[in-house]
């Protein structure tokens, strides 16, 4: 498959399903949602819960400084990529940034339950989650070369992803009358990690081929992914072992590739009645990936690819099969990698006997190549304890405001919540937002348990 198609497929896939685990900021001030304690361990739901396995919490987040309308354009009622001859070079490149970033997070709650202690103020919970994370960085010069064929110097091109399981115990409790603190201790099992990056990828176009002076490396840590090496004779006559990305295979045998630990900490403070400020930082920790599942490769040479031409209008047609890209085998080694943290700073004021809340949340999410910042304003409406409706508007990292909506129903025998920020945005046929730089989808189903907590001076009645 041509690399351009692989590139656009990768970007689109991350935008669709993208994995620091992050929930929708709309959930942060919804008091009935159990999963909000994962954003700040000092927060707690109104009541204990038992999540339906695999359905108790699903969170998908994708974001960056690149949105889908930078890659797709409408022509004659259909969407075409920026590489289509019907899209001029000026139009195709106008919306791209110097470094185009797309990141994604996914969290799947496999098992979760929690309850209030006898004082009905202290709260504990346990969760078992499967998490996936992806980060990518595609420089502007890469798109320019594939669009125009002009020689250029490309720096810091990369794609990374990791998957791990997380078992966490959370406990929050009061300190005095106005302060709550909470912490979650987590044990991590690394399943797979992969990273391919190029510090240099200088490209030029020949008569019927194109060239790249490439310097980069490949890292894979997993016992679920295998990449066999093939021995080939180099231009200097020496035989070496090489890895080709097209040879990547999945192993059906389950085996952990690493272990680690992490902690989340948070606090809330009520300086005056009905005003609550809060702060939390999540995923302070690491995973130590073992040598047994390690695959390492490097490339530092000139590559030649066949299939290149530029038409009279100046639009390039360049083929790039990933089978032509190979990494020389390097020695195995164990590595320790820090998790990507998320920081939340919030403030909320509730009125009308806590039935209405107005809040603001500032969020920082760290990824491999950058940190993304978002500011979210929300209005929460909760006329009774079992019904919660929240609207939100997020901006800063988005090119335009992202409007979100969250709903929580907790009638006593079941708990259901859903939140997203793509309801009102223009979307593709696959329901991918075209113009905003971030998308969130959260949903969960559980069973309420135990008595209601007494964390607030004023509690909304049934």
């Amino acid at each position: 498959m041509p690399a351009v198609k692989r590139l656009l497929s990768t970007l689109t896939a991350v935008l669709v399903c993208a994995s620091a685990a992050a929930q929708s900021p709309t959930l942060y001030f919804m008091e009935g949602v159990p999963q909000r304690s994962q954003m700040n361990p000092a927060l707690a739901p109104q009541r204990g819960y038992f999540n339906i396995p695999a359905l108790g919490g699903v969170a998908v987040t994708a974001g960056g400084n690149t949105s889908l309308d930078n890659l797709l354009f409408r022509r004659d009622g259909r969407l075409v990529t920026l590489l289509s001859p019907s899209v001029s070079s000026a139009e195709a490149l106008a919306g791209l940034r110097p470094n185009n970033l797309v990141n994604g997070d996914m969290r799947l709650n496999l098992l979760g339950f929690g309850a209030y202690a006898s004082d009905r103020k202290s709260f504990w919970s346990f969760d078992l989650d499967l998490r996936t994370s992806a980060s990518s960085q595609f420089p502007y010069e890469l798109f320019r070369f594939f669009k125009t064929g002009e020689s250029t110097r490309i720096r810091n091109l990369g794609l990374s992803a990791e998957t791990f399981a997380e078992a966490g115990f959370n406990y929050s409790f009061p300190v005095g009358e106005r302060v709550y603190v909470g912490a979650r201790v987590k044990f991590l099992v690394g399943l797979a990690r992969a990273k391919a990056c190029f510090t240099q990828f200088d490209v030029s176009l020949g008569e019927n081929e194109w060239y790249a002076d490439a310097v980069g490396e490949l890292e894979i840590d997993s016992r679920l992914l295998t990449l066999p090496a093939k021995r080939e004779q180099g231009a200097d006559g020496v035989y070496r072992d090489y890895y080709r990305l097209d040879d990547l295979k999945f192993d059906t045998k389950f085996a952990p590739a690493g272990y680690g630990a992490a902690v989340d900490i948070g606090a809330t403070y009520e300086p005056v009645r009905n005003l609550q400020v809060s702060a939390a930082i999540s995923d302070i920790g690491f995973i130590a990936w073992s040598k047994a599942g390690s695959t390492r490769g490097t490339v530092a040479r000139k590559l030649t690819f066949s299939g290149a031409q530029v038409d009279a209008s100046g639009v390039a047609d360049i083929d790039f099969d990933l089978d032509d890209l190979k990494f020389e085998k390097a020695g195995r080694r164990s590595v320790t990698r820090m998790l990507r943290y998320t920081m939340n700073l919030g403030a909320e004021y509730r009125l009308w006997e806590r039935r209405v809340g107005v809040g603001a949340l500032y969020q920082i999410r760290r990824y491999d190549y950058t940190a993304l910042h978002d500011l979210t304003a929300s209005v929460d409406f909760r006329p009774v304890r079992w019904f919660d409706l929240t609207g939100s508007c997020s901006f800063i990292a988005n090119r335009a405001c992202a409007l979100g909506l969250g709903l929580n129903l907790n009638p006593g025998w079941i708990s259901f919540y859903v939140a997203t920020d793509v309801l009102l945005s223009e979307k593709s046929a696959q329901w991918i937002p075209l113009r905003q730089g971030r998308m969130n989808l959260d949903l969960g189903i559980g069973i309420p348990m135990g008595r209601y907590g007494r964390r607030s001076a004023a509690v909304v009645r049934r």
Side-chain angles (χ1 to χ4, degrees):
M1 179 187 290
V4 173
K5 293 182 180 179
R6 287 183 180 269
L7 170 65
L8 295 176
S9 297
T10 299
L11 284 170
T12 303
V14 175
L15 282 167
V16 174
C17 62
S19 289
Q23 284 81 29
S24 169
T26 307
L27 296 178
Y28 193 82
F29 299 114
M30 298 180 68
E31 294 185 351
V33 176
Q35 303 312 106
R36 75 185 195 128
S37 66
Q38 293 180 341
M39 303 179 73
N40 185 335
L43 299 174
Q46 294 177 318
R47 192 177 178 186
Y49 65 92
F50 179 84
N51 286 337
I52 302 299
L55 296 176
V58 180
V60 178
T61 299
N65 62 0
T66 302
S67 56
L68 203 59
D69 65 337
N70 295 138
L71 307 175
L72 301 179
F73 296 82
R74 294 191 182 276
R75 292 293 185 271
D76 299 325
R78 62 189 184 93
L79 292 175
V80 299
T81 71
L82 58 79
L83 301 173
S84 170
S86 63
V87 181
S88 68
S89 298
E91 185 179 6
L93 302 176
L96 298 177
R97 308 293 181 88
N99 286 307
N100 298 276
L101 307 168
V102 179
N103 309 287
D105 300 285
M106 184 178 73
R107 181 196 292 263
L108 176 64
N109 183 244
L110 303 177
L111 178 66
F113 51 88
Y116 277 97
S118 58
D119 63 359
R120 296 170 64 183
K121 292 186 177 181
S122 301
F123 187 84
W124 65 268
S125 63
F126 174 83
D127 290 283
L128 178 62
D129 298 316
L130 180 65
R131 295 175 53 179
T132 302
S133 179
S135 297
S136 62
Q137 178 170 273
F138 296 96
Y140 170 89
E141 288 79 8
L142 180 68
F143 292 95
R144 184 165 69 90
F145 173 72
F146 283 125
K147 186 63 182 178
T148 67
E150 298 178 10
S151 301
T152 187
R153 301 174 62 188
I154 299 172
R155 296 291 184 271
N156 300 322
L157 165 66
L159 179 66
S160 64
E162 67 179 0
T163 299
F164 59 92
E166 172 188 286
F169 177 80
N170 185 92
Y171 188 72
S172 60
F173 57 93
V175 178
E177 295 295 325
R178 300 184 178 184
V179 177
Y180 276 86
V181 295
R184 174 180 285 106
V185 179
K186 302 185 288 189
F187 175 70
L188 312 176
V189 177
L191 302 178
R193 171 185 171 270
K195 183 176 183 179
C197 62
F198 293 90
T199 57
Q200 175 182 321
F201 202 80
D202 299 342
V203 289
S204 58
L205 194 63
E207 184 176 352
N208 294 307
E209 61 279 319
W210 63 281
Y211 311 96
D213 288 320
V215 177
E217 62 180 4
L218 172 70
E219 299 180 6
I220 297 177
D221 295 290
S222 177
R223 294 186 179 183
L224 303 176
L225 302 175
T226 58
L227 188 60
K230 295 182 178 179
R231 177 153 294 190
E232 300 180 13
Q233 186 177 16
D236 56 2
V238 178
Y239 284 90
R240 297 181 178 88
D241 292 328
Y242 291 96
Y243 296 118
R244 296 179 184 271
L245 295 180
D246 279 1
D247 294 331
L248 189 65
K249 299 178 181 179
F250 290 90
D251 195 332
T252 57
K253 297 180 180 179
F254 173 80
Y259 298 94
V263 63
D264 306 342
I265 55 176
T268 68
Y269 173 57
E270 190 172 339
V272 297
R273 183 180 175 86
N274 292 329
L275 174 64
Q276 184 182 83
V277 295
S278 58
I281 183 168
S282 305
D283 293 326
I284 307 172
F286 66 93
I287 298 178
W289 299 91
S290 68
K291 182 179 179 180
S294 170
T295 299
R296 297 291 183 269
T298 61
V299 58
R301 59 191 178 87
K302 188 169 185 175
L303 309 174
T304 302
F305 303 90
S306 60
Q309 61 181 357
V310 179
D311 61 25
S313 64
V315 176
D317 182 9
I318 300 172
D319 288 337
F320 174 19
D321 193 330
L322 286 180
D323 190 53
D324 295 327
L325 179 61
K326 54 188 179 183
F327 295 84
E328 184 177 342
K329 183 178 180 180
R332 292 186 173 188
R333 68 178 186 273
S334 59
V335 295
T336 299
R337 293 287 182 260
M338 301 300 293
L339 298 185
R340 305 175 183 94
Y341 68 82
T342 300
M343 181 179 294
N344 292 305
L345 303 173
E348 183 191 32
Y349 185 77
R350 301 204 73 93
L351 49 138
W352 192 27
E353 295 183 344
R354 301 186 62 83
R355 288 180 170 85
V356 176
V358 179
L361 174 67
Y362 183 67
Q363 193 170 69
I364 304 173
R365 299 173 183 170
R366 180 67 195 178
Y367 291 92
D368 262 358
Y369 303 102
T370 189
L372 296 182
H373 301 248
D374 288 287
L375 179 62
T376 300
S378 67
V379 177
D380 178 64
F381 179 61
R382 187 159 51 90
V384 291
R385 283 195 299 205
W386 58 269
F387 179 86
D388 202 344
L389 181 66
T390 299
S392 67
C393 178
S394 300
F395 51 95
I396 290 183
N398 298 298
R399 290 169 44 195
C401 178
L403 299 178
L405 187 65
L407 173 66
N408 177 55
L409 299 176
N410 190 348
W413 56 275
I414 195 170
S415 174
F416 169 78
Y417 72 88
V418 61
T420 183
D421 62 4
V422 300
L423 286 179
L424 302 180
S425 62
E426 182 182 0
K427 294 173 284 292
S428 69
Q430 294 75 29
W431 246 63
I432 309 170
L434 295 177
R435 299 188 180 279
Q436 69 185 54
R438 189 191 69 192
M439 60 172 285
N440 292 291
L441 176 62
D442 292 77
L443 59 90
I445 303 175
I447 300 172
M449 298 192 313
R451 303 172 68 183
Y452 284 89
R454 288 182 174 175
R455 288 201 165 198
S456 304
V459 178
V460 176
R461 299 181 178 180
R462 293 179 183 275

